[in-house]
Amino acid sequence: MNALRQFYLEIPVVTRAYTTVCVLTTLAVHLDLVSPLQLYFNPTLIVRKFQIWRLATTFLYFGTIGISFFFNMVFTYRYCRMLEDGSFRGRSSDFVMMFIFGGVLMTFFGIFVNLLFLGQAFTLMLVYVWSRRNPLVPMNFFGVLNFQAPYLPWVLLCCSMILGNTVWVDVIGMGVGHIYYVLEDVYPTLSNGYRLIKTPYFLKRLFNEHIERNFQAAAEDRPGGFPWGGEGQPLLPEENADDGQDEEPANPAAPAAAAPQ
């Protein structure tokens, strides 16, 4: 139990909080403490009945406990943690701002495509942003298909189509992830470009990040996985990216469905 507790406490704070709430929400439904009818996204009930909790619970419920729930949780935990340990290391407030930005956009798009739960779309957004920031990481799909990280969201989209699932979940997740990637990683690097997504001061203060610190950003923070500014060769995959710098904590084990080689 001590080892399990230590492992849990070592999970980055945002990843730990989000995955814990997702698991607890699903368990509450499984134990009949709440009903999915009280959790799904319904704009009419939100506006007319002031059931504003639905704006959050639509991202927390991943269906009944089973193999689908297990894989969703593994993907959510893995890519959420890799982002927080990687490009958002030391910037938990910016990571929360990404959650807020993605949640608002998905809620808006969800109105037009009539999606009840947006948790899987949120996971796809995390996967998409991670894949674009780690373009050189090789991936493996069930030991059959080899590809680079940027193709991972498209592979998952094809799987959804093959299984007969609605593709709108994947499309919204990838679309919102791409919008965030462009605004945060691409546009600021252009001439006269700047960051459009600003993290509020109260979030920085909440995570004790409001004090300016003089440190060099991690290499993977640079857009597209390249050392912008002419500092050398493109970054290597994650396990070799540091090249003499302090090593980051090891990433959690990848699910078999899409594991880096």
Side-chain angles (χ1 to χ4, degrees), residues 157-167:
L157 174 62
C158 292
C159 288
S160 295
M161 297 176 63
I162 293 173
L163 296 174
N165 299 330
T166 175
V167 298

Side-chain angles (χ1 to χ4, degrees), residues 39 60 84 91 111 113 119 140 169 180 259:
L39 306 176
L60 304 178
E84 192 170 4
R91 300 191 299 124
I111 297 175
V113 295
N140 180 275
V169 173
Y180 178 85

Side-chain angles (χ1 to χ4, degrees), residues 136-200:
L136 301 180
V137 176
M139 309 294 293
N140 180 275
F141 189 73
F142 286 114
V144 177
L145 181 63
N146 297 318
F147 53 91
Q148 298 298 104
Y151 294 101
L152 177 59
W154 298 99
V155 172
L156 298 178
L157 174 62
C158 292
C159 288
S160 295
M161 297 176 63
I162 293 173
L163 296 174
N165 299 330
T166 175
V167 298
W168 282 114
V169 173
D170 302 76
V171 170
I172 289 179
M174 293 170 60
V176 172
H178 184 71
I179 292 173
Y180 178 85
Y181 170 74
V182 171
L183 294 181
E184 187 71 6
D185 291 3
V186 178
Y187 181 72
T189 66
L190 302 178
S191 59
N192 299 323
Y194 56 92
R195 291 186 62 186
L196 295 174
I197 303 175
K198 302 292 186 180
T199 302

Side-chain angles (χ1 to χ4, degrees), residues 2 5 11-12 15 17 20-21 36 50 62 85 90 100 105 119 130 139 141 156 158 165 178 195 215 240 254 260-261:
N2 289 333
R5 179 175 180 272
I11 300 174
T15 301
T20 298
V21 174
F50 301 104
F62 284 81
D85 274 341
I100 297 173
L105 278 187
W130 176 86
M139 309 294 293
F141 189 73
L156 298 178
C158 292
N165 299 330
H178 184 71
R195 291 186 62 186
F215 65 92
N240 299 324
Q261 293 180 338

Side-chain angles (χ1 to χ4, degrees), residues 25-100:
T25 301
T26 301
L27 285 177
V29 173
H30 183 72
L31 297 174
D32 292 328
L33 299 179
V34 295
S35 168
L37 297 177
Q38 299 173 287
L39 306 176
Y40 75 96
F41 178 63
N42 188 318
T44 302
L45 294 178
I46 293 173
V47 174
R48 296 183 180 179
K49 299 293 184 178
F50 301 104
Q51 297 181 3
I52 58 175
W53 65 83
R54 294 179 184 270
L55 293 172
T57 56
T58 185
F59 296 100
L60 304 178
Y61 181 62
F62 284 81
T64 56
I65 295 179
I67 189 66
S68 177
F69 169 76
F70 172 76
F71 274 106
N72 278 319
M73 283 293 95
V74 168
F75 264 75
T76 301
Y77 163 77
R78 172 173 170 74
Y79 291 99
C80 191
R81 177 166 185 170
M82 286 199 298
L83 277 173
E84 192 170 4
D85 274 341
S87 57
F88 286 101
R89 188 177 187 182
R91 300 191 299 124
S92 295
S93 59
D94 292 338
F95 197 36
V96 172
M97 191 61 199
M98 172 185 167
F99 274 47
I100 297 173

